[in-house]
Amino acid sequence: MTIFKSLLNLFLQSNCPLCQRSTPDELCQYCNKQIQSCNLKKSSYLWQQPLPVFAWGIYGGSLKRAIAVMKYENHPEMGSILGRYLGEAWLLNSLEVNPQPVIVPIPLHAKKLQERGYNQAALIAQGFCQITGFKLQLNGLERIKDTKAQFGVSASEREKNLAAAFSLGTDFRRRQPQAPVLLVDDIYTTGATAKSAVYTLNQSNISVLGLAAVATTAKDRSIAD
């Protein structure tokens, strides 16, 4: 019986998406510890106008690797994991948000969505809502402009690229939300993407609470200590 149980446990184990070690969990203990080391101790330090931002961790190290694996190495399961981390941090930071926001992921353009097969922000938003219990509107926004990659582009160039990048999605064209929107994305850099999304929603008199992101490119590592 013991041999059978051992064989069954071995069969049920899968490989960690980050290091390929065999593990009974979604991530091996080593990789999970490495990702957790990127966690900000004060996720709400960017929660201020004009665009309040809530970020789970610093974009670097194992967290950067996890996001890359999710987006470019066909591991969509990482989205749910990172989304749950973000949701747990949101609840632990006890932000006074009333009423509860409607969660809207930053969408991909249809062309990029077809290439990748999934929208990482949508997967993160699903994991986030699983923990927080907030209402998810997957199609609150639609990306109508196929923008080029934003990394390595100046802030002014980003804003130019993202001008008129979004329109209301089918969910909000059908019925606008009664509660404010909380946008969800994988990485927060200059805020150009989120600002463009906020502008589109505000044009239809939809209020936006802010943005929740798995990672931020903030350079001040002392914030994480």
Side-chain angles (χ1 to χ4, degrees):
M1 188 68 175
T2 305
I3 296 174
F4 173 76
K5 189 174 180 181
S6 298
L7 288 171
L8 183 62
N9 287 340
L10 183 64
F11 177 76
L12 290 174
Q13 288 193 345
S14 57
N15 292 336
C16 173
L18 298 184
C19 69
Q20 301 307 310
R21 290 185 182 94
S22 181
T23 175
D25 303 312
E26 294 173 303
L27 296 173
C28 74
Q29 291 184 354
Y30 174 80
C31 288
N32 185 54
K33 185 177 180 180
Q34 292 300 306
I35 292 175
Q36 292 295 336
S37 71
C38 301
N39 181 213
L40 285 161
K41 296 301 180 285
K42 190 178 180 183
S43 293
S44 58
Y45 82 99
L46 291 170
W47 194 260
Q48 55 196 5
Q49 297 298 339
L51 177 64
V53 176
F54 184 90
W56 182 83
I58 292 288
Y59 184 66
S62 291
L63 182 56
K64 182 177 180 179
R65 165 70 178 148
I67 291 173
V69 164
M70 170 182 63
K71 292 168 71 172
Y72 308 119
E73 297 182 25
N74 195 31
H75 281 286
E77 70 273 20
M78 283 303 309
S80 178
I81 296 169
L82 296 174
R84 294 199 299 272
Y85 289 167
L86 184 61
E88 288 164 2
W90 179 274
L91 295 180
L92 285 171
N93 276 264
S94 301
L95 288 175
E96 293 184 8
V97 175
N98 192 23
Q100 292 187 338
V102 172
I103 307 305
V104 176
I106 296 291
L108 289 179
H109 187 270
K111 181 182 175 183
K112 191 170 287 184
L113 181 61
Q114 186 176 21
E115 291 172 357
R116 186 169 295 164
Y118 51 87
N119 175 14
Q120 72 277 356
L123 299 175
I124 292 166
Q126 288 170 335
F128 181 83
C129 289
Q130 183 182 337
I131 295 298
T132 60
F134 294 160
K135 184 178 180 181
L136 176 63
Q137 293 282 17
L138 283 174
N139 300 303
L141 281 170
E142 180 181 347
R143 199 163 196 143
I144 55 175
K145 187 176 178 182
D146 186 15
T147 52
K148 59 185 178 182
Q150 298 296 295
F151 265 94
V153 177
S154 69
S156 59
E157 193 66 25
R158 279 173 183 265
E159 293 195 12
K160 183 179 176 182
N161 290 344
L162 288 158
F166 302 100
S167 69
L168 287 191
T170 53
D171 288 347
F172 288 171
R173 288 202 300 268
R174 195 163 44 236
R175 183 178 181 183
Q176 293 196 3
Q178 300 303 304
V181 164
L182 178 64
L183 297 166
V184 169
D185 207 357
D186 55 346
I187 309 167
Y188 171 74
T189 50
T190 65
T193 301
K195 287 173 185 174
S196 180
V198 170
Y199 177 78
T200 297
L201 292 167
N202 287 168
Q203 286 293 99
S204 295
N205 296 315
I206 298 172
S207 65
V208 179
L209 184 66
L211 169 76
V214 169
T216 178
T217 56
K219 297 291 189 281
D220 187 358
R221 296 284 315 194
S222 65
I223 298 166
D225 297 334

